[in-house]
Amino acid sequence: MREGTGGGVADEGDPAGPGAAALLDAVATASFRVGGQFLARGDRLAAPAGLTAARWQVLYAVRHEPLSVAGVARGMGVARQSVQRIADVLVEGGLAAYEPNPAHRRAKLLRPTPAGRRALARLGPAHAEFAARLAHRLGGQERFGETLTALRRLSAALEALRAEDAEAAEERA
């Protein structure tokens, strides 16, 4: 992750202790791999419904309530432009629609159409079957839940550091 970490060399000067840089490298590498594995599996699960993993993610994000493209992007932790391209494809394909946003004249809300809801419903059985298999491989639902807790802790820590960095940059400006 950082120049000079050597892909696993302990950083003796790191305030978090020796090896924190190596752990960061290992966690980042593992998370990139897991992300790629989830996208590949998502593409396989979504294909019978005529979706890709990316389209599934965006449609899933608005399943309960319409959101702006920026709101979807924030929730997914990705760039707004990426979500905009996917949202436009969903709208062109009749799986989603834009509607006026009472809170913001220019930022329309995205919502699934009935066809989009049917596509999400078609994913249900294969999704549930894969979830059960994955939980089994992890040692049961309790271990699956522990995995989720660890990922949420990691995400919260990264977000806190992002906020600290933004605050420090503001103070310097």
Side-chain angles (χ1 to χ4, degrees), residues 68-86:
S68 67
V69 166
V72 173
R74 272 191 303 278
M76 292 173 58
V78 298
R80 184 198 59 77
Q81 294 86 346
S82 299
V83 174
Q84 185 68 63
R85 284 190 294 274
I86 295 165

Side-chain angles (χ1 to χ4, degrees), residues 34-130:
V34 168
Q37 290 170 315
F38 268 120
L39 287 174
R41 177 60 66 160
D43 279 337
R44 286 195 301 276
L45 289 171
L51 297 172
T52 64
R55 292 174 190 170
W56 178 11
Q57 282 181 290
V58 171
L59 210 49
Y60 186 82
V62 297
R63 73 196 181 285
H64 292 305
E65 67 176 320
L67 294 171
S68 67
V69 166
V72 173
R74 272 191 303 278
M76 292 173 58
V78 298
R80 184 198 59 77
Q81 294 86 346
S82 299
V83 174
Q84 185 68 63
R85 284 190 294 274
I86 295 165
D88 289 344
V89 169
L90 289 168
V91 169
E92 288 169 19
L95 298 172
Y98 291 117
E99 63 184 39
N101 182 349
H104 194 285
R105 189 172 47 92
R106 289 182 42 215
K108 294 190 179 342
L109 298 175
L110 183 69
R111 65 164 175 79
T113 62
R117 291 193 184 285
R118 285 191 299 274
L120 287 173
R122 281 194 299 275
L123 297 169
H127 178 268
E129 186 269 336
F130 180 72

